[in-house]
Amino acid sequence: MSLDTPIRTSFKSQSTAYGFWLTLPSAGAARSILRSTSKTPGGGFSWVLVDGEHGLIAEQNFYELATAIGHEGASPIVRVPWNEEWMIKRALDSGAHGILTPMCHSAEDARRIVKYSKYPPLGSRGYGPSYASHSIPGVQSGDQYDNNADDQLMVLVQIESRSGVENVEEIANVNGLDGLLIGPFDLAKQLGVVRGGEEHEAAIQRTLKAAKTAGKKAAIFCTDGAQARLRAEQGFDMVSIIPDQSALIEAMQRELDFAKGVEGAGERRPGKGY
C-alpha cells in the first residue's frame, strides 16, 4: 500500500493543487481554514506550507501542525530554515508530507537536499519515524511508511536567486527532486529587478519551463486569488493563494473600513510575501 498523501492524490485528479502559507503556530487556525474551505466547488486546499523559515513557527510546532493538517485532508509541506540535514530529518520525522528548502542555487545543492530526504541506499536520512505516520490517516508506523517514504514524500526546492535561475535546467533534472517553487519576492531582490517587471517575469517563466521539461512540479507563492488564478492558467501545478497573516489583516481591515464608512472600503491591498 502507498501512503496516498492528499497532495499526491490531488495531482491525479486536477491540474492545479491549491495551498496556502501558514506562518502562525496554530493548529486551530489551520484546521479552521481547511475545514471551512473543504466544500469549495472543485475541492478545497490540497496542501499547506508550514513556514519554519520566516514565520513564527518553530521546530517544536511541526508535529502538532502536520498532524492537524493531515487529518483535515491536506498535506503539510514544511519549509525548513535552511538545507541542513538535521532540519530536513526533523521535519520529516514530525510528519511532513514533503519538505521545501530555501535558496537552492545549483544542482549540487539539489542533490544534497535529495540525499538528506531519502533513506539509504538512496540517501542518508537517519531512521526514526516513530511519529511521522501520525499525519497520514490510516497509516501505521512500520512497513507501510518505511517502504513508501522515499517515493511518496515530496522534495521541493526554492528558486529565488540569480544563480538558481541560471542553473534551473540542471537543478530541475536532479533525480529524486519532485519540484521547484518560485519565491517571487526574494527572486526580485536577488536579481535586482522590479517585482512584476519583464526581467522578473522572464525568470519565472524560465523556471516554469525548466520544471515542465524535466517532468517536475512547478510551484509558486502568490499573494491573492487573482494572482493565483493567473499562475494556474499558466500551468503551475502547485499554487499558494495567500499567507494566513495577509488574509487575516485584509479581512479585519476591510470590515473595520466598512464599519467606519471609509471610502473605498472593500478594495484589495497589495499582498506581502517571502
Side-chain angles (χ1 to χ4, degrees), residues 109-147:
D109 285 346
R111 282 190 287 269
R112 184 170 61 253
I113 292 160
V114 170
K115 176 184 175 182
Y116 296 161
S117 304
K118 310 287 186 183
Y119 288 125
L122 298 178
S124 60
R125 178 184 173 188
Y127 184 78
S130 301
Y131 305 98
S133 65
H134 293 185
S135 66
I136 312 173
V139 174
Q140 300 293 325
S141 297
D143 289 347
Q144 187 177 359
Y145 181 89
D146 297 351
N147 295 339

PDB file of all heavy atoms in Angstrom, residues 109-147:
ATOM      1  N   ASP A 109      23.460  21.655  -4.852  1.00  0.00           N
ATOM      2  CA  ASP A 109      22.581  21.912  -3.712  1.00  0.00           C
ATOM      3  C   ASP A 109      21.398  20.960  -3.733  1.00  0.00           C
ATOM      4  O   ASP A 109      21.032  20.363  -2.720  1.00  0.00           O
ATOM      5  CB  ASP A 109      22.049  23.348  -3.756  1.00  0.00           C
ATOM      6  CG  ASP A 109      23.083  24.388  -3.357  1.00  0.00           C
ATOM      7  OD1 ASP A 109      24.123  24.010  -2.786  1.00  0.00           O
ATOM      8  OD2 ASP A 109      22.824  25.581  -3.611  1.00  0.00           O
ATOM      9  N   ALA A 110      20.776  20.822  -4.898  1.00  0.00           N
ATOM     10  CA  ALA A 110      19.579  19.994  -5.024  1.00  0.00           C
ATOM     11  C   ALA A 110      19.878  18.527  -4.737  1.00  0.00           C
ATOM     12  O   ALA A 110      19.099  17.842  -4.060  1.00  0.00           O
ATOM     13  CB  ALA A 110      18.986  20.144  -6.423  1.00  0.00           C
ATOM     14  N   ARG A 111      21.007  18.048  -5.228  1.00  0.00           N
ATOM     15  CA  ARG A 111      21.371  16.647  -4.973  1.00  0.00           C
ATOM     16  C   ARG A 111      21.600  16.396  -3.489  1.00  0.00           C
ATOM     17  O   ARG A 111      21.212  15.341  -2.952  1.00  0.00           O
ATOM     18  CB  ARG A 111      22.624  16.274  -5.782  1.00  0.00           C
ATOM     19  CG  ARG A 111      22.346  15.991  -7.243  1.00  0.00           C
ATOM     20  CD  ARG A 111      23.557  15.397  -7.941  1.00  0.00           C
ATOM     21  NE  ARG A 111      24.597  16.391  -8.157  1.00  0.00           N
ATOM     22  CZ  ARG A 111      24.691  17.146  -9.267  1.00  0.00           C
ATOM     23  NH1 ARG A 111      23.809  17.008 -10.245  1.00  0.00           N
ATOM     24  NH2 ARG A 111      25.678  18.023  -9.392  1.00  0.00           N
ATOM     25  N   ARG A 112      22.189  17.358  -2.821  1.00  0.00           N
ATOM     26  CA  ARG A 112      22.420  17.217  -1.383  1.00  0.00           C
ATOM     27  C   ARG A 112      21.089  17.198  -0.616  1.00  0.00           C
ATOM     28  O   ARG A 112      20.903  16.411   0.315  1.00  0.00           O
ATOM     29  CB  ARG A 112      23.306  18.357  -0.893  1.00  0.00           C
ATOM     30  CG  ARG A 112      23.693  18.241   0.575  1.00  0.00           C
ATOM     31  CD  ARG A 112      24.761  19.248   0.949  1.00  0.00           C
ATOM     32  NE  ARG A 112      24.333  20.626   0.753  1.00  0.00           N
ATOM     33  CZ  ARG A 112      24.777  21.422  -0.230  1.00  0.00           C
ATOM     34  NH1 ARG A 112      25.667  20.962  -1.091  1.00  0.00           N
ATOM     35  NH2 ARG A 112      24.334  22.656  -0.335  1.00  0.00           N
ATOM     36  N   ILE A 113      20.141  18.032  -1.015  1.00  0.00           N
ATOM     37  CA  ILE A 113      18.831  18.092  -0.363  1.00  0.00           C
ATOM     38  C   ILE A 113      18.079  16.778  -0.567  1.00  0.00           C
ATOM     39  O   ILE A 113      17.450  16.258   0.364  1.00  0.00           O
ATOM     40  CB  ILE A 113      18.034  19.292  -0.913  1.00  0.00           C
ATOM     41  CG1 ILE A 113      18.699  20.604  -0.444  1.00  0.00           C
ATOM     42  CG2 ILE A 113      16.586  19.241  -0.470  1.00  0.00           C
ATOM     43  CD1 ILE A 113      18.334  21.802  -1.269  1.00  0.00           C
ATOM     44  N   VAL A 114      18.137  16.239  -1.773  1.00  0.00           N
ATOM     45  CA  VAL A 114      17.514  14.937  -2.039  1.00  0.00           C
ATOM     46  C   VAL A 114      18.144  13.863  -1.171  1.00  0.00           C
ATOM     47  O   VAL A 114      17.445  13.029  -0.571  1.00  0.00           O
ATOM     48  CB  VAL A 114      17.630  14.572  -3.537  1.00  0.00           C
ATOM     49  CG1 VAL A 114      17.199  13.122  -3.768  1.00  0.00           C
ATOM     50  CG2 VAL A 114      16.784  15.517  -4.390  1.00  0.00           C
ATOM     51  N   LYS A 115      19.447  13.872  -1.083  1.00  0.00           N
ATOM     52  CA  LYS A 115      20.160  12.886  -0.273  1.00  0.00           C
ATOM     53  C   LYS A 115      19.700  12.930   1.178  1.00  0.00           C
ATOM     54  O   LYS A 115      19.450  11.886   1.803  1.00  0.00           O
ATOM     55  CB  LYS A 115      21.662  13.150  -0.354  1.00  0.00           C
ATOM     56  CG  LYS A 115      22.513  12.245   0.538  1.00  0.00           C
ATOM     57  CD  LYS A 115      23.985  12.645   0.481  1.00  0.00           C
ATOM     58  CE  LYS A 115      24.822  11.825   1.449  1.00  0.00           C
ATOM     59  NZ  LYS A 115      26.256  12.252   1.434  1.00  0.00           N
ATOM     60  N   TYR A 116      19.549  14.113   1.729  1.00  0.00           N
ATOM     61  CA  TYR A 116      19.141  14.259   3.119  1.00  0.00           C
ATOM     62  C   TYR A 116      17.701  13.804   3.354  1.00  0.00           C
ATOM     63  O   TYR A 116      17.324  13.499   4.492  1.00  0.00           O
ATOM     64  CB  TYR A 116      19.258  15.721   3.554  1.00  0.00           C
ATOM     65  CG  TYR A 116      20.648  16.280   3.564  1.00  0.00           C
ATOM     66  CD1 TYR A 116      20.856  17.666   3.553  1.00  0.00           C
ATOM     67  CD2 TYR A 116      21.783  15.462   3.582  1.00  0.00           C
ATOM     68  CE1 TYR A 116      22.138  18.207   3.573  1.00  0.00           C
ATOM     69  CE2 TYR A 116      23.068  15.995   3.592  1.00  0.00           C
ATOM     70  CZ  TYR A 116      23.240  17.366   3.578  1.00  0.00           C
ATOM     71  OH  TYR A 116      24.502  17.904   3.593  1.00  0.00           O
ATOM     72  N   SER A 117      16.914  13.750   2.281  1.00  0.00           N
ATOM     73  CA  SER A 117      15.479  13.459   2.399  1.00  0.00           C
ATOM     74  C   SER A 117      15.126  11.990   2.184  1.00  0.00           C
ATOM     75  O   SER A 117      13.983  11.596   2.411  1.00  0.00           O
ATOM     76  CB  SER A 117      14.697  14.296   1.377  1.00  0.00           C
ATOM     77  OG  SER A 117      14.970  15.672   1.536  1.00  0.00           O
ATOM     78  N   LYS A 118      16.097  11.184   1.742  1.00  0.00           N
ATOM     79  CA  LYS A 118      15.838   9.784   1.416  1.00  0.00           C
ATOM     80  C   LYS A 118      16.610   8.852   2.357  1.00  0.00           C
ATOM     81  O   LYS A 118      17.714   9.155   2.784  1.00  0.00           O
ATOM     82  CB  LYS A 118      16.272   9.485  -0.028  1.00  0.00           C
ATOM     83  CG  LYS A 118      15.750  10.455  -1.080  1.00  0.00           C
ATOM     84  CD  LYS A 118      14.286  10.282  -1.354  1.00  0.00           C
ATOM     85  CE  LYS A 118      13.848  11.169  -2.520  1.00  0.00           C
ATOM     86  NZ  LYS A 118      12.400  11.091  -2.779  1.00  0.00           N
ATOM     87  N   TYR A 119      15.992   7.700   2.622  1.00  0.00           N
ATOM     88  CA  TYR A 119      16.682   6.674   3.408  1.00  0.00           C
ATOM     89  C   TYR A 119      17.759   5.995   2.562  1.00  0.00           C
ATOM     90  O   TYR A 119      17.663   5.965   1.332  1.00  0.00           O
ATOM     91  CB  TYR A 119      15.680   5.609   3.875  1.00  0.00           C
ATOM     92  CG  TYR A 119      14.737   6.071   4.963  1.00  0.00           C
ATOM     93  CD1 TYR A 119      13.352   5.967   4.804  1.00  0.00           C
ATOM     94  CD2 TYR A 119      15.220   6.586   6.166  1.00  0.00           C
ATOM     95  CE1 TYR A 119      12.477   6.372   5.808  1.00  0.00           C
ATOM     96  CE2 TYR A 119      14.354   6.997   7.171  1.00  0.00           C
ATOM     97  CZ  TYR A 119      12.991   6.888   6.986  1.00  0.00           C
ATOM     98  OH  TYR A 119      12.133   7.290   7.983  1.00  0.00           O
ATOM     99  N   PRO A 120      18.768   5.411   3.218  1.00  0.00           N
ATOM    100  CA  PRO A 120      19.750   4.608   2.480  1.00  0.00           C
ATOM    101  C   PRO A 120      19.042   3.443   1.767  1.00  0.00           C
ATOM    102  O   PRO A 120      18.035   2.945   2.279  1.00  0.00           O
ATOM    103  CB  PRO A 120      20.684   4.095   3.574  1.00  0.00           C
ATOM    104  CG  PRO A 120      20.543   5.082   4.692  1.00  0.00           C
ATOM    105  CD  PRO A 120      19.101   5.517   4.634  1.00  0.00           C
ATOM    106  N   PRO A 121      19.495   3.035   0.576  1.00  0.00           N
ATOM    107  CA  PRO A 121      20.746   3.455  -0.069  1.00  0.00           C
ATOM    108  C   PRO A 121      20.616   4.708  -0.941  1.00  0.00           C
ATOM    109  O   PRO A 121      21.607   5.164  -1.487  1.00  0.00           O
ATOM    110  CB  PRO A 121      21.084   2.232  -0.930  1.00  0.00           C
ATOM    111  CG  PRO A 121      19.745   1.696  -1.328  1.00  0.00           C
ATOM    112  CD  PRO A 121      18.860   1.887  -0.121  1.00  0.00           C
ATOM    113  N   LEU A 122      19.387   5.244  -1.072  1.00  0.00           N
ATOM    114  CA  LEU A 122      19.207   6.412  -1.923  1.00  0.00           C
ATOM    115  C   LEU A 122      19.783   7.675  -1.309  1.00  0.00           C
ATOM    116  O   LEU A 122      20.204   8.584  -2.015  1.00  0.00           O
ATOM    117  CB  LEU A 122      17.722   6.621  -2.232  1.00  0.00           C
ATOM    118  CG  LEU A 122      17.018   5.496  -3.003  1.00  0.00           C
ATOM    119  CD1 LEU A 122      15.543   5.832  -3.186  1.00  0.00           C
ATOM    120  CD2 LEU A 122      17.684   5.292  -4.360  1.00  0.00           C
ATOM    121  N   GLY A 123      19.764   7.734   0.023  1.00  0.00           N
ATOM    122  CA  GLY A 123      20.222   8.936   0.696  1.00  0.00           C
ATOM    123  C   GLY A 123      20.804   8.632   2.051  1.00  0.00           C
ATOM    124  O   GLY A 123      21.296   7.520   2.291  1.00  0.00           O
ATOM    125  N   SER A 124      20.733   9.616   2.951  1.00  0.00           N
ATOM    126  CA  SER A 124      21.370   9.464   4.256  1.00  0.00           C
ATOM    127  C   SER A 124      20.426   9.786   5.413  1.00  0.00           C
ATOM    128  O   SER A 124      20.886   9.988   6.539  1.00  0.00           O
ATOM    129  CB  SER A 124      22.601  10.376   4.335  1.00  0.00           C
ATOM    130  OG  SER A 124      22.231  11.741   4.163  1.00  0.00           O
ATOM    131  N   ARG A 125      19.115   9.875   5.141  1.00  0.00           N
ATOM    132  CA  ARG A 125      18.157  10.177   6.211  1.00  0.00           C
ATOM    133  C   ARG A 125      18.263   9.134   7.327  1.00  0.00           C
ATOM    134  O   ARG A 125      18.196   7.935   7.078  1.00  0.00           O
ATOM    135  CB  ARG A 125      16.735  10.219   5.661  1.00  0.00           C
ATOM    136  CG  ARG A 125      15.672  10.484   6.733  1.00  0.00           C
ATOM    137  CD  ARG A 125      14.262  10.412   6.162  1.00  0.00           C
ATOM    138  NE  ARG A 125      13.266  10.497   7.233  1.00  0.00           N
ATOM    139  CZ  ARG A 125      11.953  10.309   7.079  1.00  0.00           C
ATOM    140  NH1 ARG A 125      11.476  10.044   5.861  1.00  0.00           N
ATOM    141  NH2 ARG A 125      11.133  10.386   8.114  1.00  0.00           N
ATOM    142  N   GLY A 126      18.443   9.607   8.550  1.00  0.00           N
ATOM    143  CA  GLY A 126      18.506   8.704   9.684  1.00  0.00           C
ATOM    144  C   GLY A 126      17.142   8.092   9.973  1.00  0.00           C
ATOM    145  O   GLY A 126      16.099   8.707   9.715  1.00  0.00           O
ATOM    146  N   TYR A 127      17.140   6.886  10.506  1.00  0.00           N
ATOM    147  CA  TYR A 127      15.878   6.176  10.720  1.00  0.00           C
ATOM    148  C   TYR A 127      15.334   6.414  12.130  1.00  0.00           C
ATOM    149  O   TYR A 127      16.025   6.164  13.111  1.00  0.00           O
ATOM    150  CB  TYR A 127      16.049   4.675  10.489  1.00  0.00           C
ATOM    151  CG  TYR A 127      14.739   3.929  10.603  1.00  0.00           C
ATOM    152  CD1 TYR A 127      13.826   3.950   9.558  1.00  0.00           C
ATOM    153  CD2 TYR A 127      14.399   3.254  11.767  1.00  0.00           C
ATOM    154  CE1 TYR A 127      12.609   3.303   9.658  1.00  0.00           C
ATOM    155  CE2 TYR A 127      13.191   2.599  11.884  1.00  0.00           C
ATOM    156  CZ  TYR A 127      12.297   2.627  10.822  1.00  0.00           C
ATOM    157  OH  TYR A 127      11.086   1.992  10.944  1.00  0.00           O
ATOM    158  N   GLY A 128      14.086   6.856  12.195  1.00  0.00           N
ATOM    159  CA  GLY A 128      13.432   7.068  13.484  1.00  0.00           C
ATOM    160  C   GLY A 128      12.086   7.735  13.313  1.00  0.00           C
ATOM    161  O   GLY A 128      11.779   8.705  13.998  1.00  0.00           O
ATOM    162  N   PRO A 129      11.236   7.221  12.387  1.00  0.00           N
ATOM    163  CA  PRO A 129       9.956   7.881  12.091  1.00  0.00           C
ATOM    164  C   PRO A 129       8.820   7.454  13.024  1.00  0.00           C
ATOM    165  O   PRO A 129       7.710   7.149  12.580  1.00  0.00           O
ATOM    166  CB  PRO A 129       9.678   7.428  10.658  1.00  0.00           C
ATOM    167  CG  PRO A 129      10.210   6.027  10.629  1.00  0.00           C
ATOM    168  CD  PRO A 129      11.450   6.048  11.510  1.00  0.00           C
ATOM    169  N   SER A 130       9.079   7.439  14.312  1.00  0.00           N
ATOM    170  CA  SER A 130       8.081   6.947  15.270  1.00  0.00           C
ATOM    171  C   SER A 130       6.770   7.720  15.213  1.00  0.00           C
ATOM    172  O   SER A 130       5.702   7.167  15.488  1.00  0.00           O
ATOM    173  CB  SER A 130       8.651   7.015  16.686  1.00  0.00           C
ATOM    174  OG  SER A 130       9.833   6.254  16.803  1.00  0.00           O
ATOM    175  N   TYR A 131       6.840   9.004  14.879  1.00  0.00           N
ATOM    176  CA  TYR A 131       5.642   9.852  14.876  1.00  0.00           C
ATOM    177  C   TYR A 131       5.257  10.324  13.475  1.00  0.00           C
ATOM    178  O   TYR A 131       4.235  10.973  13.303  1.00  0.00           O
ATOM    179  CB  TYR A 131       5.880  11.079  15.765  1.00  0.00           C
ATOM    180  CG  TYR A 131       6.292  10.723  17.170  1.00  0.00           C
ATOM    181  CD1 TYR A 131       7.631  10.736  17.549  1.00  0.00           C
ATOM    182  CD2 TYR A 131       5.346  10.356  18.125  1.00  0.00           C
ATOM    183  CE1 TYR A 131       8.021  10.396  18.832  1.00  0.00           C
ATOM    184  CE2 TYR A 131       5.718  10.022  19.417  1.00  0.00           C
ATOM    185  CZ  TYR A 131       7.053  10.043  19.763  1.00  0.00           C
ATOM    186  OH  TYR A 131       7.429   9.704  21.032  1.00  0.00           O
ATOM    187  N   ALA A 132       6.074  10.011  12.490  1.00  0.00           N
ATOM    188  CA  ALA A 132       5.880  10.561  11.148  1.00  0.00           C
ATOM    189  C   ALA A 132       4.554  10.161  10.519  1.00  0.00           C
ATOM    190  O   ALA A 132       3.925  10.946   9.811  1.00  0.00           O
ATOM    191  CB  ALA A 132       7.033  10.134  10.240  1.00  0.00           C
ATOM    192  N   SER A 133       4.103   8.950  10.763  1.00  0.00           N
ATOM    193  CA  SER A 133       2.876   8.462  10.125  1.00  0.00           C
ATOM    194  C   SER A 133       1.605   9.025  10.755  1.00  0.00           C
ATOM    195  O   SER A 133       0.517   8.848  10.214  1.00  0.00           O
ATOM    196  CB  SER A 133       2.827   6.932  10.172  1.00  0.00           C
ATOM    197  OG  SER A 133       2.741   6.482  11.516  1.00  0.00           O
ATOM    198  N   HIS A 134       1.719   9.705  11.884  1.00  0.00           N
ATOM    199  CA  HIS A 134       0.534  10.232  12.569  1.00  0.00           C
ATOM    200  C   HIS A 134      -0.209  11.264  11.723  1.00  0.00           C
ATOM    201  O   HIS A 134      -1.405  11.499  11.942  1.00  0.00           O
ATOM    202  CB  HIS A 134       0.926  10.859  13.907  1.00  0.00           C
ATOM    203  CG  HIS A 134       1.434   9.871  14.912  1.00  0.00           C
ATOM    204  ND1 HIS A 134       1.744  10.215  16.209  1.00  0.00           N
ATOM    205  CD2 HIS A 134       1.703   8.542  14.819  1.00  0.00           C
ATOM    206  CE1 HIS A 134       2.180   9.156  16.864  1.00  0.00           C
ATOM    207  NE2 HIS A 134       2.173   8.125  16.037  1.00  0.00           N
ATOM    208  N   SER A 135       0.484  11.880  10.784  1.00  0.00           N
ATOM    209  CA  SER A 135      -0.151  12.899   9.944  1.00  0.00           C
ATOM    210  C   SER A 135      -0.818  12.310   8.701  1.00  0.00           C
ATOM    211  O   SER A 135      -1.374  13.057   7.893  1.00  0.00           O
ATOM    212  CB  SER A 135       0.890  13.937   9.510  1.00  0.00           C
ATOM    213  OG  SER A 135       1.856  13.337   8.656  1.00  0.00           O
ATOM    214  N   ILE A 136      -0.758  10.986   8.568  1.00  0.00           N
ATOM    215  CA  ILE A 136      -1.362  10.324   7.404  1.00  0.00           C
ATOM    216  C   ILE A 136      -2.428   9.358   7.916  1.00  0.00           C
ATOM    217  O   ILE A 136      -2.098   8.248   8.360  1.00  0.00           O
ATOM    218  CB  ILE A 136      -0.312   9.569   6.571  1.00  0.00           C
ATOM    219  CG1 ILE A 136       0.908  10.460   6.307  1.00  0.00           C
ATOM    220  CG2 ILE A 136      -0.915   9.091   5.250  1.00  0.00           C
ATOM    221  CD1 ILE A 136       2.063   9.740   5.634  1.00  0.00           C
ATOM    222  N   PRO A 137      -3.690   9.757   7.906  1.00  0.00           N
ATOM    223  CA  PRO A 137      -4.752   8.913   8.457  1.00  0.00           C
ATOM    224  C   PRO A 137      -4.727   7.503   7.876  1.00  0.00           C
ATOM    225  O   PRO A 137      -4.594   7.310   6.667  1.00  0.00           O
ATOM    226  CB  PRO A 137      -6.026   9.660   8.057  1.00  0.00           C
ATOM    227  CG  PRO A 137      -5.600  11.090   7.961  1.00  0.00           C
ATOM    228  CD  PRO A 137      -4.211  11.033   7.401  1.00  0.00           C
ATOM    229  N   GLY A 138      -4.835   6.516   8.764  1.00  0.00           N
ATOM    230  CA  GLY A 138      -4.891   5.131   8.330  1.00  0.00           C
ATOM    231  C   GLY A 138      -3.552   4.461   8.156  1.00  0.00           C
ATOM    232  O   GLY A 138      -3.490   3.259   7.895  1.00  0.00           O
ATOM    233  N   VAL A 139      -2.479   5.215   8.284  1.00  0.00           N
ATOM    234  CA  VAL A 139      -1.143   4.645   8.110  1.00  0.00           C
ATOM    235  C   VAL A 139      -0.493   4.424   9.468  1.00  0.00           C
ATOM    236  O   VAL A 139      -0.448   5.328  10.302  1.00  0.00           O
ATOM    237  CB  VAL A 139      -0.252   5.563   7.248  1.00  0.00           C
ATOM    238  CG1 VAL A 139       1.185   5.028   7.183  1.00  0.00           C
ATOM    239  CG2 VAL A 139      -0.826   5.687   5.842  1.00  0.00           C
ATOM    240  N   GLN A 140      -0.009   3.212   9.683  1.00  0.00           N
ATOM    241  CA  GLN A 140       0.665   2.875  10.923  1.00  0.00           C
ATOM    242  C   GLN A 140       2.180   2.990  10.734  1.00  0.00           C
ATOM    243  O   GLN A 140       2.699   2.901   9.627  1.00  0.00           O
ATOM    244  CB  GLN A 140       0.317   1.436  11.340  1.00  0.00           C
ATOM    245  CG  GLN A 140      -1.168   1.187  11.583  1.00  0.00           C
ATOM    246  CD  GLN A 140      -1.687   1.931  12.797  1.00  0.00           C
ATOM    247  OE1 GLN A 140      -0.982   2.101  13.786  1.00  0.00           O
ATOM    248  NE2 GLN A 140      -2.933   2.379  12.717  1.00  0.00           N
ATOM    249  N   SER A 141       2.884   3.180  11.853  1.00  0.00           N
ATOM    250  CA  SER A 141       4.345   3.144  11.786  1.00  0.00           C
ATOM    251  C   SER A 141       4.785   1.746  11.371  1.00  0.00           C
ATOM    252  O   SER A 141       4.146   0.755  11.715  1.00  0.00           O
ATOM    253  CB  SER A 141       4.942   3.481  13.155  1.00  0.00           C
ATOM    254  OG  SER A 141       4.602   4.790  13.535  1.00  0.00           O
ATOM    255  N   GLY A 142       5.828   1.673  10.592  1.00  0.00           N
ATOM    256  CA  GLY A 142       6.309   0.367  10.147  1.00  0.00           C
ATOM    257  C   GLY A 142       6.438   0.312   8.647  1.00  0.00           C
ATOM    258  O   GLY A 142       6.743   1.317   7.990  1.00  0.00           O
ATOM    259  N   ASP A 143       6.189  -0.862   8.086  1.00  0.00           N
ATOM    260  CA  ASP A 143       6.486  -1.103   6.674  1.00  0.00           C
ATOM    261  C   ASP A 143       5.771  -0.166   5.710  1.00  0.00           C
ATOM    262  O   ASP A 143       6.357   0.246   4.705  1.00  0.00           O
ATOM    263  CB  ASP A 143       6.150  -2.554   6.312  1.00  0.00           C
ATOM    264  CG  ASP A 143       7.123  -3.554   6.924  1.00  0.00           C
ATOM    265  OD1 ASP A 143       8.183  -3.118   7.409  1.00  0.00           O
ATOM    266  OD2 ASP A 143       6.821  -4.763   6.906  1.00  0.00           O
ATOM    267  N   GLN A 144       4.499   0.149   5.968  1.00  0.00           N
ATOM    268  CA  GLN A 144       3.767   0.972   5.016  1.00  0.00           C
ATOM    269  C   GLN A 144       4.430   2.346   4.855  1.00  0.00           C
ATOM    270  O   GLN A 144       4.572   2.852   3.738  1.00  0.00           O
ATOM    271  CB  GLN A 144       2.307   1.154   5.433  1.00  0.00           C
ATOM    272  CG  GLN A 144       1.477   1.876   4.362  1.00  0.00           C
ATOM    273  CD  GLN A 144       0.009   1.995   4.716  1.00  0.00           C
ATOM    274  OE1 GLN A 144      -0.433   1.514   5.766  1.00  0.00           O
ATOM    275  NE2 GLN A 144      -0.766   2.630   3.865  1.00  0.00           N
ATOM    276  N   TYR A 145       4.839   2.932   5.953  1.00  0.00           N
ATOM    277  CA  TYR A 145       5.551   4.213   5.873  1.00  0.00           C
ATOM    278  C   TYR A 145       6.968   4.012   5.348  1.00  0.00           C
ATOM    279  O   TYR A 145       7.398   4.680   4.400  1.00  0.00           O
ATOM    280  CB  TYR A 145       5.599   4.893   7.245  1.00  0.00           C
ATOM    281  CG  TYR A 145       6.310   6.235   7.200  1.00  0.00           C
ATOM    282  CD1 TYR A 145       5.612   7.400   6.925  1.00  0.00           C
ATOM    283  CD2 TYR A 145       7.695   6.322   7.406  1.00  0.00           C
ATOM    284  CE1 TYR A 145       6.267   8.627   6.849  1.00  0.00           C
ATOM    285  CE2 TYR A 145       8.361   7.540   7.334  1.00  0.00           C
ATOM    286  CZ  TYR A 145       7.644   8.692   7.053  1.00  0.00           C
ATOM    287  OH  TYR A 145       8.304   9.898   6.968  1.00  0.00           O
ATOM    288  N   ASP A 146       7.674   3.075   5.946  1.00  0.00           N
ATOM    289  CA  ASP A 146       9.092   2.877   5.611  1.00  0.00           C
ATOM    290  C   ASP A 146       9.303   2.575   4.133  1.00  0.00           C
ATOM    291  O   ASP A 146      10.229   3.086   3.504  1.00  0.00           O
ATOM    292  CB  ASP A 146       9.677   1.730   6.433  1.00  0.00           C
ATOM    293  CG  ASP A 146       9.666   2.016   7.921  1.00  0.00           C
ATOM    294  OD1 ASP A 146       9.364   3.167   8.313  1.00  0.00           O
ATOM    295  OD2 ASP A 146       9.956   1.085   8.700  1.00  0.00           O
ATOM    296  N   ASN A 147       8.431   1.733   3.568  1.00  0.00           N
ATOM    297  CA  ASN A 147       8.617   1.274   2.193  1.00  0.00           C
ATOM    298  C   ASN A 147       8.170   2.289   1.145  1.00  0.00           C
ATOM    299  O   ASN A 147       8.450   2.119  -0.047  1.00  0.00           O
ATOM    300  CB  ASN A 147       7.877  -0.040   1.965  1.00  0.00           C
ATOM    301  CG  ASN A 147       8.444  -1.176   2.797  1.00  0.00           C
ATOM    302  OD1 ASN A 147       9.587  -1.121   3.243  1.00  0.00           O
ATOM    303  ND2 ASN A 147       7.639  -2.206   3.026  1.00  0.00           N
TER     304      ASN A 147
END
